[in-house]
Amino acid sequence: KRVWIELGMQSANDSTLNLIGRGHDFAALENAVQLLHRYQIPVCLQIIIGLPGENRSEVLQTFDAVNRLNPAFCKIHQLQVVRGAGLEQMYLAGEYCPLEMSDYIDLVIDGLSRLNRDISITRLLADAHPAELLAPVWQVSKAAFLTAVQKKMAETGTFQGLK
């Protein structure tokens, strides 16, 4: 059996982690990853693109932090506003606007170009239950999304680890 531990990194930005109520700072995540590495337990880090208040630079800093932490795997997905979550109120009040799919794809590609080639990507798109999802509603299958990412990467000559 192959075993690994998944950690919800979400962001490398402490102010973002505080805003979304993670209950820990980046240093705590970093310590957990180091401990898992010490015991030779493979790590999967989950990151979210489109968190409230984060700009392109902060998203790319999170990808750089993933590289420094050197996980075996990384799951990347868009922020989704779901019913009952704390973000629902921000969204309904107009205090948070989710990314458009094209903007998300651009950030994914920019991030992947910075990400070490040895890190296996296990997700690029999340899919909340349609009855729970408020936004973004992109009306795209995972297969169509992956095709769009691959096509844009091919058109721009971009690949994981380029930068």
Side-chain angles (χ1 to χ4, degrees):
K1 288 185 179 181
R2 183 154 189 184
V3 175
W4 65 86
I5 301 291
E6 292 190 18
L7 299 174
M9 176 179 176
Q10 316 319 8
S11 173
N13 184 322
D14 283 340
S15 61
T16 300
L17 296 174
N18 185 51
L19 176 66
I20 63 174
R22 290 298 298 169
H24 63 81
D25 60 8
F26 179 71
L29 176 101
E30 203 169 22
N31 290 337
V33 171
Q34 289 171 0
L35 181 63
L36 291 165
H37 283 325
R38 187 172 341 142
Y39 287 98
Q40 298 180 339
I41 299 171
V43 175
C44 177
L45 294 177
Q46 299 176 13
I47 63 173
I48 298 176
I49 296 176
L51 290 163
E54 284 204 342
N55 60 33
R56 179 183 184 280
S57 175
E58 290 165 322
V59 170
L60 296 179
Q61 287 171 7
T62 294
F63 279 94
D64 292 341
V66 169
N67 277 336
R68 286 191 309 277
L69 295 172
N70 195 31
F73 311 99
C74 185
K75 287 185 176 180
I76 304 164
H77 63 87
Q78 78 282 19
L79 181 62
Q80 297 180 73
V81 181
V82 294
R83 296 182 197 288
L87 188 60
E88 177 183 15
Q89 295 308 314
M90 286 179 69
Y91 173 70
L92 294 175
E95 298 168 1
Y96 172 73
C97 182
L99 292 173
E100 295 294 330
M101 188 171 75
S102 61
D103 295 328
Y104 177 68
I105 288 173
D106 288 345
L107 285 167
V108 165
I109 291 171
D110 285 347
L112 288 174
S113 73
R114 298 168 81 100
L115 206 57
N116 183 320
R117 291 171 139 178
D118 296 333
I119 299 171
S120 295
I121 307 304
T122 61
R123 175 189 295 155
L124 289 179
L125 189 69
D127 53 353
H129 190 279
E132 297 174 357
L133 181 65
L134 293 173
V137 182
W138 293 336
Q139 304 292 329
V140 64
S141 69
K142 282 186 178 181
F145 177 82
L146 290 174
T147 298
V149 170
Q150 291 169 334
K151 180 180 178 194
K152 185 153 190 179
M153 289 179 84
E155 289 171 354
T156 60
T158 306
F159 54 87
Q160 184 175 339
L162 173 65
K163 298 178 182 172

